Amino acid sequence: MIKKNQNLILLLLIGSLFISCAEKAGEPVTASEFLLGTTCVITLSDWEKDADPDSLLNEAFHKIAEMEQQLSVNIETSDIARINAGGDEGFAAGPMALDVLKQAIEIAELSEGRFDPSIGGLVALWGIGTENAGIPGEDEISTALSGINYKEITIEDSGLVILENPNAALDLGGIAKGYAADLVREFLTSRGVRRGIINLGGNVLVLGRKENREPWRIGIQDPREPRGEYLGIVEVDEKAIVTSGVYERFFMEDGVRYHHILDTRTGYPVRNGVISTTVIHDRSVIADGLSTSLFAMGIEKGMELANSLEDTNVIMIDEDNRVYITDNLTGSFQLNASSGYTLAGNQN
């Protein structure tokens, strides 16, 4: 599926996370590895006295690496690659691949197919973010589109996954990082980690609250400015924050920007006036899938769906610099007055 930008969210450690946490658990420990096609960074700030933070970090990255081996479409021995190769004969996938695929199908149903795990052929065709990026031919796009239909994915009770359409190909990149973040959180909290940050290439998940019990203040990247410039701040705790945007993973041809968020109806990059969508949710895998879904649905339908969902906070930005937020974010989101953006409607 569509991969999220690696640096769409800037974590503003307002309140000096590193200093305040040092009083109880010693200096915070941070490590990074290149996994899932991006730089993954994990910071532990408060843990059980007898725990070894370095060992915890190593184990956490090992879990991500194991997951990648099972879910990456680019690894021939992965379950997803084998499902694609198996086609209508099927492949008996393992529990993890089945779990992620089922969640992807649920999001596809929720978004009426604007997010679709069978988009793999179209993603590979455009190759955006690779050296082979380019505009495909109309016939190629038509063939790839004919294979996109999550309803033609069959999952049998035995775990056998069958792609009924010969042109179908799975790609779970659109929720894989979110799933990985949830997996790491579950592991770390089971080992007594009380506070920290999981940042998988821009898919951010915060553990616990700040030392003073106040929520984290997270800066949302300004889509029109260099990295590090934020348009607003949202207060969260124990949440995942995931953004999809058009402004970093793209290529230019004849003065036209072709970004990485592909429309499952037209076969081309989505063009509906949206330039950025941020989703805040308890589960990173849901935030990951919804950020793409809502972006593709557009402002009106996207915000309508977002406001209908429980425990889901959303920030959408259009090309006219208008910022739309869900009703439940009022009071928790502060727009940077000097950013040049305005809150849409009657929002405060």
Side-chain angles (χ1 to χ4, degrees), residues 272-329:
N272 58 10
V274 180
I275 60 174
S276 176
T277 297
T278 297
V279 177
I280 303 161
H281 197 277
D282 293 340
R283 297 174 58 205
S284 185
V285 66
I286 300 299
D288 210 353
L290 281 180
S291 66
T292 296
S293 302
L294 300 178
F295 187 107
M297 293 174 74
I299 294 292
E300 183 176 353
K301 290 185 177 180
M303 290 302 296
E304 181 180 354
L305 175 59
N307 276 310
S308 73
L309 300 174
E310 294 184 1
D311 304 320
T312 304
N313 298 327
V314 174
I315 303 165
M316 296 185 74
I317 306 166
D318 70 15
E319 57 192 8
D320 294 320
N321 290 356
R322 291 175 297 202
V323 180
Y324 301 76
I325 64 174
T326 43
D327 298 336
N328 50 11
L329 256 187

Side-chain angles (χ1 to χ4, degrees), residues 71-116:
L71 301 184
S72 175
V73 70
N74 298 314
I75 298 175
E76 292 183 358
T77 56
S78 76
D79 280 6
I80 300 306
R82 288 176 172 176
I83 292 170
N84 288 342
D88 59 3
E89 293 184 3
F91 174 77
M96 181 178 291
L98 290 173
D99 187 23
V100 181
L101 180 56
K102 288 175 182 177
Q103 294 189 64
I105 291 174
E106 289 179 3
I107 296 172
E109 291 176 342
L110 185 66
S111 67
E112 299 180 347
R114 305 310 296 271
F115 175 101
D116 195 312

Side-chain angles (χ1 to χ4, degrees), residues 22-315:
E23 296 174 1
K24 263 196 173 182
E27 291 296 328
V29 178
T30 299
S32 64
E33 287 194 23
F34 190 83
L35 295 164
L36 305 175
T38 189
T39 300
C40 300
V41 182
I42 303 175
T43 298
L44 307 183
S45 303
D46 189 3
W47 54 86
E48 295 289 346
K49 182 175 63 173
D50 297 332
D52 179 359
D54 291 325
S55 295
L56 291 175
L57 288 169
N58 288 335
E59 266 194 87
F61 286 121
H62 181 66
K63 288 185 177 296
I64 297 174
E66 285 185 327
M67 192 207 79
E68 184 173 22
Q69 290 297 314
Q70 296 185 49
L71 301 184
S72 175
V73 70
N74 298 314
I75 298 175
E76 292 183 358
T77 56
S78 76
D79 280 6
I80 300 306
R82 288 176 172 176
I83 292 170
N84 288 342
D88 59 3
E89 293 184 3
F91 174 77
M96 181 178 291
L98 290 173
D99 187 23
V100 181
L101 180 56
K102 288 175 182 177
Q103 294 189 64
I105 291 174
E106 289 179 3
I107 296 172
E109 291 176 342
L110 185 66
S111 67
E112 299 180 347
R114 305 310 296 271
F115 175 101
D116 195 312
S118 62
I119 199 174
L122 188 65
V123 172
L125 189 62
W126 279 89
I128 297 174
T130 74
E131 296 178 355
N132 301 318
I135 303 173
E138 290 292 341
D139 290 344
E140 294 176 302
I141 290 177
S142 179
T143 299
L145 281 175
S146 71
I148 301 175
N149 187 350
Y150 67 92
K151 295 179 181 179
E152 296 180 330
I153 303 170
T154 298
I155 303 176
E156 298 186 350
D157 292 340
S158 64
L160 189 72
V161 181
I162 299 171
L163 302 182
E164 301 171 16
N165 191 315
N167 293 323
L170 299 182
D171 189 324
L172 299 181
I175 62 172
K177 286 191 290 184
Y179 187 86
D182 289 336
L183 193 71
V184 170
R185 170 174 56 186
E186 182 180 0
F187 163 71
L188 291 176
T189 55
S190 72
R191 296 297 185 88
V193 175
R194 293 179 286 264
R195 183 163 47 253
I197 300 169
I198 302 164
N199 186 344
L200 307 186
N203 283 41
V204 176
L205 196 159
V206 294
L207 304 179
R209 284 193 163 206
K210 293 194 296 184
E211 181 77 4
N212 57 6
R213 296 289 184 179
E214 292 184 358
W216 301 114
R217 290 166 58 80
I218 307 299
I220 305 301
Q221 173 69 42
D222 186 330
R224 298 193 185 279
E225 297 294 335
R227 296 171 189 167
E229 299 294 330
Y230 64 96
L231 64 86
I233 296 171
V234 64
E235 296 185 346
V236 297
D237 61 88
E238 293 290 354
K239 298 288 185 181
I241 308 98
V242 180
T243 299
S244 290
V246 303
Y247 37 88
E248 286 193 345
R249 292 188 60 234
F250 62 90
F251 69 90
M252 300 291 295
E253 187 163 323
D254 296 329
V256 177
R257 177 183 302 206
Y258 295 88
H259 62 78
H260 69 291
I261 304 176
L262 302 177
D263 194 322
T264 57
R265 301 174 306 171
T266 68
Y268 284 83
V270 173
R271 301 200 184 282
N272 58 10
V274 180
I275 60 174
S276 176
T277 297
T278 297
V279 177
I280 303 161
H281 197 277
D282 293 340
R283 297 174 58 205
S284 185
V285 66
I286 300 299
D288 210 353
L290 281 180
S291 66
T292 296
S293 302
L294 300 178
F295 187 107
M297 293 174 74
I299 294 292
E300 183 176 353
K301 290 185 177 180
M303 290 302 296
E304 181 180 354
L305 175 59
N307 276 310
S308 73
L309 300 174
E310 294 184 1
D311 304 320
T312 304
N313 298 327
V314 174
I315 303 165

